[in-house]
């Protein structure tokens, strides 16, 4: 391959990545609005107890969804050469796992309900079991679309599935379905997403199964599966312990606060991770990946810092304005979990770097250590109540996530200091932004409407952060312009290969 060809391919990849990142972020605006409105409506209708019952059922259903994937999506994205035998073997294996897990899910619904000492959880969990099969049928199609950076199709699917599920959830809640409204919403988004994946992808499974392909893929996917299972434990066992020992009402309050504060991860960091993982896998060169990692982390910081730090002063007014007095205990949890969301968002791209460079064993070992420490901390904090669990999660994240950054930096030939420098500008801008936001809240009369105070503080914070970011992190605006140019270059380049090619 000539140097000129390499340069052309790099520019083409850069344009496709920029276009994909643009789609990934742009699609989150309508999805986030729909999700937020739905959460508010359902939470106000149901109340903390019913929300907690649904959350209890979803905790273990999310674990089953991970087993249904079995790490095959990551294998499809990461493998340099992907054969038809690989694709079809992954599909049929995943479908079989999904079917088995659905049957097991129904059978285990009674023991799961007994764990919580809440019989109402049993039918909810049994109904959610159908999602194990539904999601398994779209794993390969999703992996192929991500591998080829076809994020326009993926994100349009996200918007459509979110819209259908939100309507279904709200209609069920208004009709008096109680916790079933959230279960119906969950089933709807999985079912519609899978159906749209089949429509977006031209690949269809062949009647082919290769034990050789399965063995080869299992070597990589087993570590990914281990990381995913431990990741589930890290983010879900706090919910289980709260639901088991503090009750559905406490879990409902915690789950709403957690949902609000993990929005930057789910709607910004995770979509970008989906974009950069296949891009990093295509690059392979550790030094180049390190440079992209720092620049991408800086841009993630520029977006998530105001969303997380800014939530600390406005949380009480936000809860009172939208969720109502019944949910007032969620305000302090939102403030505590803001730090968790910030830390996890800033370190979210580490997984993509380590997986792209096949350092899944390192990632697995780190995740195992964090999971053991996290679960121990959650258990120790249970006597302190739901706030104690939130504080435990913040402390564990602050202490252990820098280790993940150090491990990732070492792999790409960088240092922890390099990573800190990449996020320092947005962090400084965000910290300074809090001053005018707090002053605005103090200047407005305590008797004023919560929505008025919330609007004023949000507006002041947005303007202040934009000005401060240009001062402390001017490269953010340079990066935005660069993304626009590369998106234009990506549109002008040759058509992308068909999915699965």
């Amino acid at each position: 391959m000539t140097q000129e060809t390499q340069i052309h391919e790099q520019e083409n990849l850069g344009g496709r990545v920029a276009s994909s990142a643009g789609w990934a972020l742009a699609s989150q605006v309508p999805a986030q609005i729909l999700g937020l409105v739905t959460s508010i409506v359902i939470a106000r209708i149901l109340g903390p107890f019913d929300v907690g019952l649904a959350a209890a059922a979803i905790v273990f259903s999310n674990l089953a969804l991970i087993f249904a994937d079995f790490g095959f999506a990551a294998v499809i994205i990461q493998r340099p050469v992907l054969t038809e035998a690989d694709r079809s073997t992954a599909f049929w294996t995943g479908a079989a796992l999904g079917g088995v897990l659905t049957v097991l899910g129904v059978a285990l619904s009674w023991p799961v309900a007994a764990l919580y000492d809440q019989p109402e959880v049993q039918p909810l969990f049994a109904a959610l079991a159908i999602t194990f099969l539904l999601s398994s049928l779209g794993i390969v199609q999703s992996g192929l679309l991500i591998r080829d950076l076809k994020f326009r199709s993926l994100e349009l699917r996200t918007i459509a599935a979110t819209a259908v599920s939100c309507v279904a959830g709200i209609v069920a809640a208004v009709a008096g379905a109680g916790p079933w409204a959230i279960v119906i919403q969950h089933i709807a988004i999985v079912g519609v997403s899978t159906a749209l994946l089949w429509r977006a992808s031209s690949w269809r499974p062949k009647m082919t199964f290769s034990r050789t392909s399965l063995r080869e893929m299992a070597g990589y996917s087993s570590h990914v599966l281990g990381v995913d299972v431990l990741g589930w434990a890290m983010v879900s066992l706090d919910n289980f312990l709260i639901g088991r020992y503090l009750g559905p009402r406490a879990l409902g309050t915690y789950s709403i606060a957690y949902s609000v504060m993990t929005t930057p991860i789910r709607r910004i960091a995770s979509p970008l991770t989906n974009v950069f993982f296949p891009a990093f896998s295509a690059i392979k060169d550790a030094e180049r990946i390190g440079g992209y990692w720092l620049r991408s982390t800086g841009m993630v910081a520029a977006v998530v810092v105001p969303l997380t730090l800014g939530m600390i002063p406005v949380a009480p007014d936000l809860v009172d304005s939208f969720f109502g007095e019944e949910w007032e205990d969620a305000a302090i949890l939102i403030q505590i979990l803001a730090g968790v969301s910030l830390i996890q968002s800033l370190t979210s791209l580490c997984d993509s770097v380590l997986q792209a460079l096949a350092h899944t064993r390192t990632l697995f070992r780190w995740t195992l250590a964090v999971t053991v420490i996290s679960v121990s901390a959650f258990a120790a904090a249970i006597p302190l109540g739901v706030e104690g669990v939130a504080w435990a999660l913040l402390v564990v994240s602050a202490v252990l996530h820098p280790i993940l950054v150090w491990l990732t930096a070492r792999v790409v030939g960088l240092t922890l200091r390099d990573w800190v420098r990449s996020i320092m500008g947005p962090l400084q801008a965000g910290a300074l932004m809090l001053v005018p936001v707090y002053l605005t809240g103090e200047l407005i009369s305590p008797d004023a409407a919560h929505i008025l105070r919330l609007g004023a503080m949000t507006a002041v914070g947005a303007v202040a952060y934009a000005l401060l970011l240009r001062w402390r992190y001017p490269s953010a605006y340079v990066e935005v312009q660069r993304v626009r140019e590369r998106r234009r270059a990506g549109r002008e380049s040759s058509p992308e290969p068909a999915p699965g090619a």
Side-chain angles (χ1 to χ4, degrees), residues 112-411:
V112 168
L115 275 176
Y116 289 106
D117 195 24
Q118 295 290 337
E120 299 97 324
V121 171
Q122 183 274 321
L124 301 176
F125 185 81
L128 284 168
I130 189 61
T131 61
F132 311 156
L133 176 61
L134 292 176
S135 66
S136 69
L137 298 177
I139 291 168
V140 175
Q141 281 81 357
S142 176
L144 291 173
L145 291 170
I146 294 174
R147 177 186 177 93
D148 290 327
L149 296 175
K150 297 294 185 70
F151 279 87
R152 181 178 183 275
S153 298
L154 286 167
E155 300 310 328
L156 288 175
R157 174 212 61 153
T158 297
I159 295 172
T162 301
V164 172
S165 67
C166 288
V167 171
I170 291 175
V171 169
V174 172
W180 281 97
I182 298 176
V183 171
I184 290 170
Q185 181 186 5
H186 199 73
I187 295 173
I189 196 168
V190 173
V192 174
S193 294
T194 298
L196 293 179
L197 280 172
W198 277 71
R199 181 177 181 180
S201 174
S202 61
W203 179 82
R204 295 294 181 266
K206 306 295 190 297
M207 297 303 295
T208 301
F209 186 88
S210 170
R211 292 183 179 180
T212 301
S213 290
L214 183 59
R215 282 196 301 268
E216 291 175 352
M217 290 187 291
Y220 180 92
S221 67
S222 59
H223 284 114
V224 175
L225 174 64
V227 169
D228 289 342
V229 170
L230 292 173
W232 167 86
M234 196 163 44
V235 302
S236 300
L237 287 183
D238 52 347
N239 287 266
F240 166 69
L241 291 170
I242 290 171
R244 174 66 180 84
Y245 295 104
L246 300 180
R249 182 178 180 85
L251 176 57
T253 303
Y254 184 83
S255 64
I256 284 294
Y258 193 89
S259 177
V260 170
M261 282 321 309
T262 55
T263 293
I265 301 175
R266 291 182 291 108
R267 299 300 188 186
I268 298 171
S270 291
L272 287 179
T273 299
N274 289 337
V275 172
F276 286 114
F277 176 34
F280 291 161
S281 297
I283 294 171
K284 298 296 182 185
D285 181 76
E287 184 177 349
R288 286 181 58 205
I289 289 176
Y292 284 124
W293 172 51
L294 293 184
R295 285 169 51 192
S296 304
T297 300
M299 291 305 295
V300 170
V303 177
V304 303
V305 163
L307 297 178
T308 52
L309 293 184
M311 192 63 71
I312 297 173
V314 305
D317 292 300
L318 174 73
V319 172
D320 283 332
S321 298
F322 292 108
F323 292 96
E325 293 182 0
E326 192 175 13
W327 292 92
E328 62 181 2
D329 291 342
I332 182 63
L333 298 177
I334 289 174
Q335 292 173 322
I336 298 170
L337 295 173
V340 176
S341 181
L342 176 61
I343 294 167
Q344 295 185 0
S345 295
L346 295 181
T347 59
S348 60
L349 293 179
C350 295
D351 289 21
S352 296
V353 174
L354 293 174
Q355 289 188 39
L357 294 172
H359 284 268
T360 52
R361 181 173 297 179
T362 298
L363 183 58
F364 175 79
R365 289 173 175 173
W366 177 84
T367 309
L368 176 60
V370 174
T371 301
V372 171
I373 295 171
S374 297
V375 174
S376 300
F378 298 153
I382 280 292
L384 301 176
V386 68
E387 290 183 27
V389 176
W391 277 113
L393 180 56
L394 175 58
V395 171
V396 169
S397 298
V399 172
L400 298 182
H401 274 73
I403 299 175
L404 176 61
V405 176
W406 174 74
L407 291 170
T408 307
R410 188 177 62 172
V411 167

Side-chain angles (χ1 to χ4, degrees), residues 306-307 310-311 313-315 317-318 322 433 436-438 440-441 444 450-466:
L307 297 178
M311 192 63 71
V314 305
D317 292 300
L318 174 73
F322 292 108
M433 171 199 71
V437 172
Y438 271 113
T440 301
I444 297 177
H450 291 290
I451 190 67
L452 174 63
R453 184 183 293 104
L454 175 64
M457 294 171 73
T458 301
V460 169
V463 173
Y465 183 75

